[in-house]
Amino acid sequence: MKGPNGGLGFLPILLATVMGITFATTYGIALHNGDVHAFWPYISDTGAHPPESEIFSLGMSTASFLACAIFFVRFKQVHEYTGKVPSVLRLNKAAVFLGLISALGLLLVACFQDVNTLAVHMTGAGVCFFFGTLYELLHTIISYRIEPNRTTTKVRIVLTFLGAVALVLTGVFGLVAGLNKPYHQPGDKGYPYHLVSTISEWTMGGCFAFFLLSFKREFDKVTIDAHIRLSDRGGMLRGIGDDDETRALNI
């Protein structure tokens, strides 16, 4: 599997593009329909009501599957680059596991809007952001162990730190806003806390998107080949070649 430039660097760009187009479209429609306030709604609020909810669900579901592809490619890349260095191998396995859980959380966010199934939606959001932040942390550690002085490694350290701080602020100020209702309208008692929470959520999402984008140049050097073995046993392929012959195909 190769991209236009011969590698898989298109995957992080495609993910960021899908997310950017989805958020811009759902925010524009939600604002036009009066479903959100113009200044810093929660990400999910831009896709809570029809018709923007359908676009949000489609876009975020697509982003979830693209994220899984990125996590897998990064796992294989690190594995091939470092060989079987025990410490890196453990971190790499843990990271891909956490990444896939994060993608599952994003899928829950996409499929269950907060206005309909709040508990499932919030669980998905918490899983997505928490495990996504852990994924950033582990791959920052991996990058530091492999190339500590590289600029990309330093960028990942900054993005991970900002994302972790934003995660804490999103949760803490979201809870405080909930204890100081109402909070959705400017001038409401809990609105300042709500605003800190929403800005932090967008910051956290942006940090994660840019973190995955930082894989782009490394993915440009990566291709994936499928090695398929076909056997005539059982007669499924009989007539194509000799019986009991096994053939290998490289795609």
Side-chain angles (χ1 to χ4, degrees):
M1 182 178 178
K2 300 179 181 179
N5 296 323
L8 297 176
F10 72 93
L11 283 175
I13 293 177
L14 184 58
L15 173 63
T17 301
V18 168
M19 294 179 70
I21 292 175
T22 299
F23 292 152
T25 303
T26 56
Y27 175 74
I29 296 175
L31 188 62
H32 178 267
N33 292 342
D35 294 330
V36 297
H37 298 289
F39 193 65
W40 293 109
Y42 278 119
I43 295 174
S44 298
D45 288 344
T46 67
H49 302 278
E52 60 265 27
S53 58
E54 284 82 1
I55 299 172
F56 185 88
S57 181
L58 176 62
M60 290 300 96
S61 296
T62 303
S64 174
F65 289 111
L66 286 172
C68 287
I70 292 173
F71 298 148
F72 173 76
V73 171
R74 181 61 177 175
F75 169 77
K76 295 297 292 184
Q77 180 192 32
V78 172
H79 182 76
E80 292 296 324
Y81 186 81
T82 60
K84 294 184 178 180
V85 179
S87 59
V88 176
L89 184 62
R90 287 192 296 269
L91 288 172
N92 197 29
K93 288 181 177 180
V96 72
F97 176 73
L98 295 175
L100 293 176
I101 294 179
S102 174
L104 175 61
L106 180 58
L107 190 61
L108 291 177
V109 169
C111 297
F112 298 91
Q113 283 75 41
D114 57 356
V115 295
N116 299 318
T117 48
L118 180 62
V120 178
H121 181 89
M122 294 303 295
T123 298
V127 167
C128 176
F129 286 128
F130 179 73
F131 286 97
T133 301
L134 291 180
Y135 178 86
E136 292 179 78
L137 176 62
L138 292 188
H139 267 291
T140 298
I141 296 173
I142 290 172
S143 298
Y144 187 81
R145 290 190 177 183
I146 296 174
E147 296 177 306
N149 296 319
R150 191 181 178 197
T151 301
T152 304
T153 300
K154 297 175 183 178
V155 170
R156 287 171 186 161
I157 291 173
V158 173
L159 289 173
T160 300
F161 175 76
L162 292 177
V165 172
L167 173 65
V168 174
L169 293 178
T170 300
V172 170
F173 281 89
L175 289 173
V176 174
L179 296 174
N180 289 272
K181 296 179 180 179
Y183 56 80
H184 283 101
Q185 300 278 357
D188 286 345
K189 180 182 178 182
Y191 183 74
Y193 309 112
H194 171 73
L195 195 59
V196 173
S197 181
T198 58
I199 292 175
S200 298
E201 185 193 41
W202 282 94
T203 301
M204 179 170 47
C207 286
F208 192 57
F210 279 109
F211 189 92
L212 296 184
L213 270 175
S214 73
F215 293 154
K216 194 270 179 187
R217 294 185 65 182
E218 292 158 293
F219 279 19
D220 281 338
K221 304 173 184 178
V222 176
T223 60
I224 293 181
D225 296 322
H227 189 69
I228 303 175
R229 300 191 66 84
L230 300 178
S231 175
D232 289 344
R233 292 184 179 87
M236 183 176 179
L237 300 175
R238 197 162 292 158
I240 297 178
D242 296 331
D243 289 349
D244 297 327
E245 179 186 358
T246 300
R247 293 178 297 280
L249 301 179
N250 285 315
I251 300 176

